[in-house]
Amino acid sequence: MALTGLDIFKLLPKTNCGECGVPTCMAFAMKLAAKNAELAACPYASEEAKAKIGAASKPPIRLVKIGPPGAEVAVGHETVMFRHEKTFVHPTAIAVSFSDGQPASELCHLTAQVREYCLERVGEQLRLDLALVENTSGGVRPFVEAVKAVAGGTGRGLILMSESPEALEAALKILDGQRPLIHAATPENAERLGKLALQYKAPLVARAATLDALAALTSRLAAMGVRDLVLELPAENPASAVQHNTVIRKMALKSAFEPLGYPILNVVAGRDLPSLVADASTLILKYASILVVDTLQVQALLPLMMLRQNIYTDPQKPIQVEPKVYPIGEPGRNAPVLVTTNFSLTYFLVSGEIENSGVPAHLGVVECEGMSVLTAWAAGKFSGAKVGAFVKASGLEGQVATRRIIIPGYVAQISGELEESLPGWEVVVGPQEASDLGSFLKLQAAA
Ligand code: SF4
């Protein structure tokens, strides 16, 4: 039977020392119950606790970290089949593939694109996570040179793909301490690559042709002490890939089948752009922990980045921006003052419309737990009193000469209370829709 947070708490030392990374034993117990932590993080757990909690709290999918300090990518630790059950935790790491057959000048140019790629969306910076280097030449030296170029050029963690243990070892030597992902142990070379993974403290891809063979392979590697594994099960077509991923996830979560309790790697390459986007999108939705693509075209990266962000946003935690006063344009002391909530989408819509209007303004963003305007008002978090308190606490009254404040049209009903909270201020009811803000501000400016 699954242990509750309280059951687990009773078995912990209750000293609240914080060494497990959370401030209290109760908080740690809740994380264990949610399978978001491992008991090994508490150095003071008793033998009794280890026996009773250990297996019950172990995350069903192992957390695997790839890449050097500062550019480390974590995958795994997922606990649900469907995002609406709770949340997906570690976003699919998107990797771009390179080959040691590419000329140095091309590697230089393309790796710089990986390093610099950044999509800004609702306050987040979305970037490429990893780079794969394939040993297509079969030689040790070209592989090592390409690995150096890609590691230096991208600044990302690497996936080292080679059928030659000698080439892999030579690359691992120059990347010592950078935790590249070794690709790949198979039933034929498991001992040799397992030893390399242990020697260089690097995670390892386990690759086999069937689910049974894959489970047997990971069991062999785990028996050697290789714990940081990533699964790869080659598929004949995208439908098979989704089926494999789903079975692996189900076996790990629903049956607690440890040999398949690892993150999954999928490669989507060698196809036209629409097929690549369609297949890669499907695999982001269905359990790819690492997705390797062979393109840097923005038409492919843009939808994949946006989809990934949407899927891996916690539905229970709205994306928020920091509550404060934001200058839009270069507003002077007489520029208009507007207020809204700190729901990220609301902020970006409103600030975008103000910017497009060409009328510089001060935008006050009130702490509303990330709720939109109407939801926050209904929850009592965007009342006249709260907005008034925000204006006073923010120091806005000292920054501006104007004493007019524009509130969203949907909450016209707070205007009376706000005027009471802000003596000397005139409250102006703005438009309901952000899209009407531009014309509204221009009219106000002309009046
Ligand atoms: Fe409690 Fe152990 Fe965490 Fe310390 S490390 S707070 S004793 S659970």
Side-chain angles (χ1 to χ4, degrees), residues 12-20 22-25 28 41-44:
L12 292 176
K14 304 183 195 67
T15 55
N16 301 332
C17 70
E19 287 184 41
C20 52
V22 289
T24 65
C25 295
F28 186 59
C42 170
Y44 309 109

Side-chain angles (χ1 to χ4, degrees), residues 185-187 206-221 231-234 243-244 247-248 251 257-262:
T186 62
R207 175 186 165 100
T210 66
L211 274 172
D212 286 344
L214 190 57
L217 176 59
T218 60
S219 300
R220 265 171 76 194
L221 291 164
L231 306 177
E232 189 185 18
L233 188 58
Q243 192 182 23
H244 291 161
V247 171
I248 289 171
M251 293 285 285
F257 185 60
E258 279 191 47
L260 295 181
Y262 299 99

Side-chain angles (χ1 to χ4, degrees), residues 70-288:
E72 194 177 67
V73 171
V75 289
H77 253 199
E78 304 299 334
T79 56
V80 292
M81 292 295 295
F82 303 105
R83 176 176 172 267
H84 63 259
E85 290 177 88
K86 196 172 178 189
T87 183
F88 291 166
V89 186
H90 289 108
T92 306
I94 297 181
V96 176
S97 61
F98 296 93
S99 126
D100 63 1
Q102 290 173 276
S105 58
E106 191 176 311
L107 284 182
C108 180
H109 170 66
L110 294 176
T111 54
Q113 282 188 36
V114 171
R115 186 180 65 240
E116 284 157 20
Y117 180 84
C118 179
L119 173 66
E120 287 211 34
R121 185 166 180 251
V122 287
E124 291 186 6
Q125 295 193 329
L126 312 178
R127 297 178 186 276
L128 293 161
D129 307 283
L130 297 167
L132 179 147
V133 187
E134 186 175 1
N135 182 207
T136 50
S137 73
V140 173
R141 197 175 168 147
F143 188 53
V144 168
E145 291 307 315
V147 164
K148 279 186 200 163
V150 176
T154 61
R156 300 293 187 270
L158 294 196
I159 304 171
L160 304 175
M161 180 185 266
S162 175
E163 290 178 6
S164 156
E166 292 76 23
L168 286 171
E169 179 152 22
L172 284 164
K173 272 187 189 144
I174 61 159
L175 293 177
D176 201 14
Q178 298 192 33
R179 288 185 64 81
L181 176 61
I182 305 170
H183 187 291
T186 62
E188 292 73 37
N189 68 11
E191 267 66 36
R192 180 112 190 241
L193 289 208
K195 279 183 193 156
L196 276 184
L198 289 173
Q199 184 181 348
Y200 291 94
K201 296 186 176 57
L204 176 63
V205 175
R207 175 186 165 100
T210 66
L211 274 172
D212 286 344
L214 190 57
L217 176 59
T218 60
S219 300
R220 265 171 76 194
L221 291 164
M224 290 174 65
V226 186
R227 306 260 174 236
D228 288 337
L229 294 172
V230 172
L231 306 177
E232 189 185 18
L233 188 58
E236 286 173 6
N237 53 53
S240 299
V242 170
Q243 192 182 23
H244 291 161
N245 285 10
T246 306
V247 171
I248 289 171
R249 181 84 155 229
K250 217 171 196 170
M251 293 285 285
L253 297 190
K254 302 293 179 195
S255 306
F257 185 60
E258 279 191 47
L260 295 181
Y262 299 99
I264 302 169
L265 178 139
N266 293 113
V267 179
V268 179
R271 57 200 82 181
D272 61 55
L273 192 70
S275 303
L276 182 142
V277 172
D279 297 347
S281 300
T282 309
L283 290 166
I284 287 175
L285 293 171
K286 286 295 173 191
Y287 315 134

Side-chain angles (χ1 to χ4, degrees), residues 322-327 337-338 362-365 390-391 394-396 399:
E322 188 188 348
K324 64 176 188 178
V325 179
Y326 290 82
V337 171
L338 300 94
H362 304 274
L363 177 59
V365 171
F390 166 80
V391 169
S394 67
L396 190 58
Q399 290 173 32

